[in-house]
C-alpha cells in the first residue's frame, strides 16, 4: 500500500512537470518573434560594420547624447576600405558637408579598423596615429540608441559603447545625426 502511494505520487509529479514544461515551451516559441523585434539589438558584425561604413556622415564619440566638451568632440568618418578618419569638431553638425562648409573639421589622424563579433557584441579595433602619436583603442558596441542632442537640436542614433584606451574602459556613445 505504501509503495503504491509513493509510486502514484512520483507518477503525478512527473505528469505535472511534463505538462508544465510543455506549456513553457509553446509560450516561449510564440513569443520569440515579439522579443526579437522588441530587443532591436543590432550588434552583429555585419550590421554594425555596414551601418558605420555605408554612412558618409560623422560619427561622434561622447560620454552621452548630451555630453558637453570644452575641448571639442571626436568625430569619426568610416570608409569601406577599413579606415576611419578622426576629426576634432566643436559641436555636432547636421552633416559632414555642413561641418566642412563651416571649416570646423580639424583632422587628427587616420586609423585602421577591424570589426569582430564577440558574443552578442561587436568589437571595433583601431590602430594608427593620432596627432603623430601611435595609439590603439577598442570600442565594444553594446546596444542601439536614439535620442536628441539638445545643444544642436538634432535627433541622433547610434550605439552605446565601452571605449577601451590603454586598458582604461569608459562608457560612451557613438552616434550620428539621424536622417
Amino acid at each position: 500500500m505504501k509503495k503504491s502511494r509513493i509510486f502514484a505520487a512520483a507518477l503525478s509529479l512527473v505528469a505535472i512537470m511534463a505538462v508544465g514544461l510543455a506549456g513553457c515551451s509553446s509560450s516561449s516559441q510564440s513569443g520569440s518573434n515579439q522579443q526579437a523585434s522588441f530587443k532591436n539589438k543590432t550588434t552583429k558584425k555585419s550590421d554594425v560594420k555596414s551601418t558605420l561604413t555605408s554612412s558618409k556622415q560623422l560619427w561622434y564619440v561622447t560620454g552621452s547624447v548630451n555630453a558637453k566638451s570644452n575641448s571639442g568632440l571626436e568625430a569619426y568618418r568610416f570608409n569601406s576600405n577599413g579606415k576611419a578618419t578622426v576629426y576634432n569638431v566643436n559641436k555636432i553638425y547636421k552633416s559632414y558637408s555642413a561641418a566642412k562648409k563651416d571649416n570646423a573639421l580639424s583632422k587628427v589622424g587616420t586609423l585602421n579598423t577591424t570589426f569582430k563579433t564577440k558574443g552578442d557584441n561587436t568589437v571595433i579595433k583601431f590602430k594608427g596615429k593620432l596627432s603623430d602619436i601611435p595609439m590603439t583603442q577598442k570600442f565594444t558596441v553594446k546596444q542601439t540608441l536614439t535620442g536628441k542632442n539638445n545643444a544642436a537640436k538634432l535627433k541622433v542614433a547610434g550605439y552605446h559603447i565601452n571605449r577601451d584606451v590603454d586598458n582604461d574602459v569608459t562608457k560612451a556613445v557613438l552616434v550620428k545625426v539621424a536622417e
Side-chain angles (χ1 to χ4, degrees), residues 106-168:
S106 176
K107 184 176 176 180
V108 181
T110 302
L111 303 172
N112 293 317
T113 60
T114 57
F115 294 81
K116 290 186 181 177
T117 301
K118 189 176 186 179
D120 285 339
N121 303 319
T122 298
V123 177
I124 309 165
K125 292 184 179 181
F126 299 90
K127 187 174 185 176
K129 289 184 176 184
L130 291 182
S131 300
D132 291 329
I133 299 171
M135 67 84 64
T136 59
Q137 72 175 333
K138 177 173 64 173
F139 295 168
T140 303
V141 179
K142 295 294 187 180
Q143 63 189 22
T144 59
L145 74 91
T146 57
K148 182 176 181 179
N149 180 278
N150 295 329
K153 296 179 181 157
L154 295 170
K155 291 181 182 177
V156 295
Y159 304 100
H160 289 279
I161 62 171
N162 284 350
R163 182 180 190 181
D164 182 345
V165 180
D166 298 329
N167 294 319
D168 181 20

Side-chain angles (χ1 to χ4, degrees), residues 49-66:
K49 183 177 182 180
S50 65
T51 300
L52 294 176
T53 58
S54 67
S55 171
K56 298 301 177 197
Q57 292 206 36
L58 294 172
W59 286 85
Y60 300 93
V61 177
T62 65
S64 67
V65 170
N66 285 302

Side-chain angles (χ1 to χ4, degrees), residues 37-84:
S37 63
F38 177 73
K39 274 186 171 180
N40 197 22
K41 190 165 186 174
T42 57
T43 57
K44 294 178 187 168
K45 177 181 176 183
S46 59
D47 292 342
V48 173
K49 183 177 182 180
S50 65
T51 300
L52 294 176
T53 58
S54 67
S55 171
K56 298 301 177 197
Q57 292 206 36
L58 294 172
W59 286 85
Y60 300 93
V61 177
T62 65
S64 67
V65 170
N66 285 302
K68 296 180 182 176
S69 173
N70 295 330
S71 60
L73 303 170
E74 281 184 61
Y76 291 69
R77 190 166 192 227
F78 296 87
N79 69 24
S80 57
N81 297 328
K83 304 266 187 206

